[in-house]
Amino acid sequence: MEKLKRLLNSFESPRILDVGTGTGAFIGMIKQMYDGYEQIVGIDLLERAITAAKENFKEDERIEFKVMDINKMEYDENYFDIVILSNTLHHLSDVKKTMEQMEKYVKTGGIILINEMLSNDLNKAQLSHKYVHHFAAEVDRTFGDFHKDTFTNIEILQTLKDTSTFQIKDAWDFQGSSHNEPTDELIEFFQKTLDRLIAKSKEEDKKYFEKKAVKIIKHIKTHGFESATPLVVVLAR
Ligand SMILES: C[S@@+](CC[C@H](N)C(=O)[O-])C[C@H]1O[C@@H](n2cnc3c(N)ncnc32)[C@H](O)[C@@H]1O
């Protein structure tokens, strides 16, 4: 947290682009630690995510959201100080193309900031997060949506080396997730989450996902839940 805060503070009134913003979770985290930005633009493919993001940040007129595909984005080049990709790397079907696009919008002296949840070195409570995430990704894939399982730190760093013309300047594990005990409330929340995903799945897959969900709930009941550690990577020219 402190390291990210220091990094943000090293920019003077930065313009920030958040690619694959979803409902703006990463912007919310930035806002908790830093208020010195001039502008934040969040983009996402999904209209429903952008509608929710607009609602979440409606009180801050420096923040705007657009339904937009980064690979088709048309914006002023060399415009942003910080271009963020948070928990979205495993959603990209063509990482090289997306990295090229993101690089275009970074102005001289600017950075790309990757934040990506890890699949390695997780404690048992964090494995609950990984299992729920991989469950959702598998359901998405049965519909042909591009949604990979999460990567290890080595895979993330190698992917970035292979696809970006920027250099990796720094990388660290973003510690700070809190542990949730397996209370009835927590179990009910995840049961409902998995049930929603099963309801969304194809008829012929339901039995398979139901069996899998039982195992995941058993794991959460035993170990609780904690967010998987994200890896933060800073890239620059
Ligand atoms: C798991 S969410 C990440 C949300 C948020 N950034 C976070 O850290 O929690 C990944 C998002 O990336 C979006 N996405 C995937 N490909 C995209 C693209 N080409 N352009 C814009 N958004 C994209 C998806 O629609 C999805 O909402």
Side-chain angles (χ1 to χ4, degrees):
M1 200 74 133
E2 275 309 307
K3 200 162 173 175
L4 185 57
K5 203 171 165 179
R6 274 203 302 280
L7 179 70
L8 293 168
N9 274 300
S10 68
F11 290 90
E12 202 174 313
S13 308
R15 295 168 180 159
I16 300 174
L17 171 67
D18 186 28
V19 176
T21 194
T23 57
F26 199 79
I27 295 175
M29 209 195 47
I30 289 180
K31 271 182 78 71
Q32 276 177 30
M33 64 175 95
Y34 178 71
D35 189 50
Y37 48 87
E38 178 184 310
Q39 181 188 15
I40 302 182
V41 179
I43 65 163
D44 202 285
L45 294 174
L46 300 178
E47 192 159 355
R48 66 173 186 278
I50 291 298
T51 303
K54 281 182 180 165
E55 182 59 28
N56 290 343
F57 296 91
K58 62 180 179 217
E59 81 294 347
D60 189 337
E61 57 190 25
R62 295 170 298 169
I63 304 179
E64 58 190 292
F65 292 97
K66 295 173 195 292
V67 178
M68 200 180 270
D69 181 344
I70 179 63
N71 297 320
K72 295 181 187 149
M73 179 161 159
E74 288 177 17
Y75 215 84
D76 297 342
E77 294 188 12
N78 305 308
Y79 181 81
F80 292 100
D81 299 273
I82 306 172
V83 175
I84 295 165
L85 187 76
S86 173
N87 286 327
T88 299
L89 193 65
H90 65 281
H91 283 266
L92 303 178
S93 57
D94 189 342
V95 181
K96 195 167 168 47
K97 183 172 176 192
T98 300
M99 292 307 293
E100 267 171 24
Q101 274 289 97
M102 291 184 8
E103 288 169 10
K104 267 196 337 206
Y105 298 110
V106 179
K107 71 183 194 197
T108 307
I111 59 166
I112 292 177
L113 189 67
I114 307 287
N115 177 67
E116 184 74 7
M117 67 183 272
L118 291 173
S119 69
N120 64 298
D121 292 336
L122 304 176
N123 65 35
K124 293 223 165 81
Q126 290 178 313
L127 285 177
S128 299
H129 187 190
K130 172 171 160 172
Y131 296 154
V132 173
H133 176 270
H134 286 193
F135 187 94
E138 195 175 357
V139 172
D140 284 349
R141 289 197 295 270
T142 63
F143 291 100
D145 294 347
F146 193 91
H147 193 174
K148 283 189 166 182
D149 287 350
T150 46
F151 301 118
T152 64
N153 47 4
I154 290 173
E155 286 168 338
I156 293 168
L157 293 170
Q158 192 59 51
T159 300
L160 296 173
K161 276 182 197 153
D162 291 345
T163 56
S164 179
T165 66
F166 281 25
Q167 307 297 312
I168 295 176
K169 301 290 179 184
D170 202 355
W172 68 91
D173 286 356
F174 194 168
Q175 301 292 356
S177 61
S178 50
H179 181 84
N180 296 283
E181 290 298 330
T183 57
D184 289 350
E185 215 181 353
L186 185 90
I187 302 303
E188 195 189 332
F189 173 81
F190 282 108
Q191 188 66 64
K192 280 189 177 155
T193 303
L194 296 176
D195 285 349
R196 258 199 314 276
L197 289 162
I198 293 166
K200 178 183 146 186
S201 71
K202 291 182 184 162
E203 216 39 54
E204 67 262 34
D205 296 327
K206 285 201 193 313
K207 283 254 152 1
Y208 165 80
F209 284 119
E210 275 163 11
K211 268 194 184 164
K212 214 166 192 176
V214 170
K215 284 190 188 157
I216 295 174
I217 291 296
K218 196 172 163 202
H219 183 92
I220 299 175
K221 273 185 180 160
T222 314
H223 302 289
F225 184 92
E226 196 177 318
S227 292
T229 312
L231 178 71
V232 177
V233 187
V234 179
L235 298 142
R237 287 188 179 87

